[in-house]
Amino acid sequence: MTKILALTGAGISAESGIRTFRDSNGLWEDHRVEDVASPEGFRKDPSTVWEFYKQRYAQSLGVDPNSAHLALVKLEEHFGDSFHLITQNVDGLHFRAGSQRVYEMHGRLQSCFCISCRTHYKVQDIIMESEVPRCKKCGDILRPDIVWFGEIPYYLYEIEDLLKNTDIFLIVGTSGVVYPAAGFVMTAKLFGAYTIGVNLEKPDNLGFFDEFHQGKCGDILPKVVGKLIDTYEH
Ligand code: NAD
């Protein structure tokens, strides 16, 4: 049974209308990354950070998954529980497309939690609340459920296990710059996986790909997925 693991980055959502960092000179929707995506930025100005993530949440609801997200759903339908998907994206578009075995390693826009008691809330339930929402249990402030720079990504144990045991590693729409995700291709290759990349530009870790397709993933990924489905039986 062939095992397939996919890793996606901001590029897969670009054709849905959500900008990547690299397209915007390292800015995230015109904000400096350290201001809106670091624990220090949140400590300094929690209301600006909350405003930013409320906007990102609203934006994510206003766009639709594209043909690249849907191609990964097809791959999962074919390979079933031999397929897993790791995403660096926080926009929820993989779930909305219909993917099920998804690891959102950098968190999710739909959720937030209390910095003291860690109670989780849905952003849709607090979006109309004050600039910096507060925990209904302990009264401390809530923060977006996003893994910021300098924090430890989610699911690292599960991801390490998947990387060491996959036959094929498919990497889509990611620059190969943001660690630890940028290093995943090296681990998978070291443990024997066949590695396939799809990206608009050549990624920084290009040397670790057995096969690389340059261009828009909305055009290319459905073809790559079609070939995988034709070649490998579940
Ligand atoms: P990145 O912005 O560093 O790189 C995106 C890559 O996608 C670039 O190399 C670019 O060439 C490529 N790309 C752009 N359009 C493409 C297309 N149509 N088809 C194929 N490739 C395309 O993104 P990253 O490496 O994923 O890291 C940035 C971090 O920022 C992520 O970890 C994520 O947490 C966060 N982020 C998330 C979102 C989102 O959830 N949609 C958007 C922006 C940033």
Side-chain angles (χ1 to χ4, degrees):
M1 196 186 305
T2 307
K3 293 196 191 107
I4 298 213
L5 180 62
L7 169 70
T8 63
I12 198 168
S13 295
E15 288 158 76
S16 293
I18 300 182
R19 283 196 281 168
T20 69
F21 283 170
R22 302 304 122 185
D23 295 338
S24 354
N25 298 322
L27 298 179
W28 193 353
E29 299 287 342
D30 304 323
H31 289 262
R32 289 185 339 146
V33 168
E34 50 277 37
D35 291 342
V36 293
S38 74
E40 294 76 23
F42 184 67
R43 229 171 280 134
K44 220 191 273 171
D45 188 354
S47 67
T48 296
V49 173
W50 257 114
E51 181 58 27
F52 175 79
Y53 285 100
K54 284 181 180 179
Q55 283 170 11
R56 301 281 70 72
Y57 173 70
Q59 178 193 38
S60 75
L61 294 182
V63 302
D64 293 315
N66 64 58
S67 54
H69 296 103
L70 296 174
L72 293 180
V73 177
K74 268 199 177 160
L75 206 53
E76 186 170 12
E77 281 167 2
H78 183 77
F79 287 96
D81 56 14
S82 299
F83 173 86
H84 292 90
L85 169 57
I86 304 162
T87 187
Q88 299 167 83
N89 295 344
V90 295
D91 56 33
L93 287 179
H94 286 302
F95 280 117
R96 280 185 43 213
S99 290
Q100 292 171 36
R101 297 165 179 88
V102 185
Y103 293 89
E104 293 177 308
M105 63 175 288
H106 288 169
R108 49 201 70 85
L109 290 169
Q110 303 79 14
S111 158
C112 59
F113 63 89
C114 172
I115 62 165
S116 288
C117 73
R118 307 266 148 178
T119 302
H120 278 72
Y121 296 86
K122 287 183 179 163
V123 168
Q124 71 182 40
D125 296 336
I126 58 99
I127 199 138
M128 298 309 286
E129 286 183 19
S130 62
E131 287 178 348
V132 181
R134 288 196 170 268
C135 180
K136 290 183 178 47
K137 281 193 186 155
C138 76
D140 210 340
I141 61 174
L142 306 183
R143 60 163 277 179
D145 191 3
I146 303 288
V147 176
W148 287 324
F149 285 97
E151 297 184 316
I152 298 169
Y154 296 154
Y155 309 116
L156 284 183
Y157 285 115
E158 291 86 343
I159 289 171
E160 187 184 5
D161 195 46
L162 289 166
L163 290 168
K164 288 179 173 172
N165 288 295
T166 193
D167 298 306
I168 296 168
F169 189 32
L170 175 63
I171 299 157
V172 184
T174 181
S175 55
V177 171
V178 181
Y179 278 82
F184 291 174
V185 65
M186 299 169 207
T187 306
K189 193 153 177 52
L190 194 69
F191 281 80
Y194 184 75
T195 54
I196 307 172
V198 178
N199 206 52
L200 199 55
E201 299 149 326
K202 290 192 172 117
D204 274 27
N205 48 15
L206 183 66
F208 293 91
F209 289 91
D210 292 310
E211 192 180 310
F212 178 68
H213 304 263
Q214 187 163 5
K216 288 189 173 182
C217 58
D219 299 332
I220 295 174
L221 193 61
K223 293 175 198 152
V224 171
V225 163
K227 200 170 153 208
L228 287 171
I229 289 174
D230 289 346
T231 310
Y232 299 96
E233 290 198 8
H234 171 217

